[in-house]
């Protein structure tokens, strides 16, 4: 296993899991923004919004159910994450409205488990997915010269990266 010093250094990097069909070397690279219309961008942000709603609910459930003295610190942190996902939902809902769209009230899939470690793995999977999606979305906002939206998405991305680091640390990754 990695030496403690090496391990500490790796925690500064967000490792995005590679899709099984993609080469690992490209996994952390932001996708090149694909061309899309403003209406398509609104649709994509509505999907992000549904995932923010599911994340906030998932974190509330996990914070309550997670057990084990080794998870005391992360349990409190999950509640903080939930509040931050709520703020992200508010930001995205406002941005959709600013863009002339209607914010959806859909909730994406929620993942639960009786196993505390699996809960954290589920949370981390959600964060890595969010990081990949927001990296793509920032490129799309830039392409459409929606600079206010880009800034809002960048602020969200910073928090998602913190969430991923918290979870990786709790999982001793
Ligand atoms: Fe979020
Ligand atoms: Fe998050």
């Amino acid at each position: 296993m990695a030496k403690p010093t090496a391990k500490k250094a790796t925690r500064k990097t967000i490792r995005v899991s590679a899709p099984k069909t993609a080469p690992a070397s490209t996994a952390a690279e932001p996708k090149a923004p694909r061309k899309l219309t403003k209406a398509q961008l609104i649709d994509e942000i509505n999907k992000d919004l549904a995932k923010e709603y599911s994340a906030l609910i998932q974190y509330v459930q996990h914070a309550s159910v997670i057990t084990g003295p080794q998870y005391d610190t992360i349990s409190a942190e999950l509640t903080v994450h939930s509040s931050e996902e709520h703020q992200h939902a508010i930001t995205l809902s406002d941005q959709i409205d600013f863009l002339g769209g209607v914010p959806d009230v859909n909730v994406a899939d929620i993942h639960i488990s009786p196993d505390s470690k699996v809960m954290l793995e589920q949370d981390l999977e959600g964060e890595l997915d969010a990081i990949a999606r927001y990296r793509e979305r920032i490129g799309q906002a830039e392409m459409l010269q929606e600079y206010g939206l880009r800034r809002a998405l960048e602020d969200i991305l910073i928090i998602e990266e913190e969430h991923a680091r918290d979870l990786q640390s709790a999982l001793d990754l």
Side-chain angles (χ1 to χ4, degrees):
M1 294 303 289
K3 292 173 187 171
T5 50
K7 194 180 209 176
K8 191 175 178 187
T10 61
R11 283 186 184 160
K12 292 177 182 166
T13 305
I14 302 299
R15 294 177 298 284
V16 178
S17 300
K20 287 189 172 63
T21 53
S25 60
T26 62
E29 297 298 320
K31 291 178 191 170
R34 62 185 168 86
K35 282 204 165 182
L36 78 177
T37 64
K38 195 166 166 182
Q40 288 170 324
L41 179 60
I42 290 168
D43 285 345
E44 293 301 312
I45 302 170
N46 260 321
K47 290 177 197 164
D48 299 330
L49 177 58
K51 293 203 170 200
E52 291 291 351
Y53 285 135
S54 69
L56 89 85
I57 294 167
Q58 184 170 309
Y59 275 128
V60 168
Q61 202 268 0
H62 288 190
S64 298
V65 175
I66 197 166
T67 50
Q70 70 274 41
Y71 297 126
D72 279 352
T73 305
I74 191 67
S75 174
E77 203 59 45
L78 298 184
T79 303
V80 174
H81 287 197
S82 177
S83 297
E84 289 169 336
E85 309 305 8
H86 184 191
Q87 285 304 315
H88 297 168
I90 292 168
T91 299
L92 294 182
S93 188
D94 285 345
Q95 289 293 326
I96 290 165
D97 180 65
F98 296 158
L99 289 168
V102 178
D104 285 342
V105 291
N106 299 326
V107 180
D109 290 345
I110 296 167
H111 303 282
I112 61 171
S113 169
D115 184 307
S116 296
K117 183 168 179 277
V118 172
M119 285 180 212
L120 297 179
E121 289 168 349
Q122 291 168 335
D123 294 336
L124 178 57
E125 189 177 334
E127 294 297 346
L128 297 180
D129 177 58
I131 289 166
R133 286 185 294 102
Y134 288 126
R135 284 176 177 172
E136 182 180 30
R137 211 69 68 237
I138 288 165
Q140 291 166 338
E142 169 88 24
M143 193 177 63
L144 291 175
Q145 297 186 315
E146 294 289 349
Y147 299 118
L149 171 64
R150 182 189 69 182
R151 173 65 182 269
L153 293 167
E154 286 170 346
D155 288 346
I156 293 175
L157 176 62
I158 289 168
I159 302 299
E160 307 300 16
E161 289 179 342
E162 285 179 11
H163 291 175
R165 277 192 287 269
D166 290 343
L167 293 160
Q168 286 172 339
S169 177
L171 285 163
D172 209 21
L173 296 175

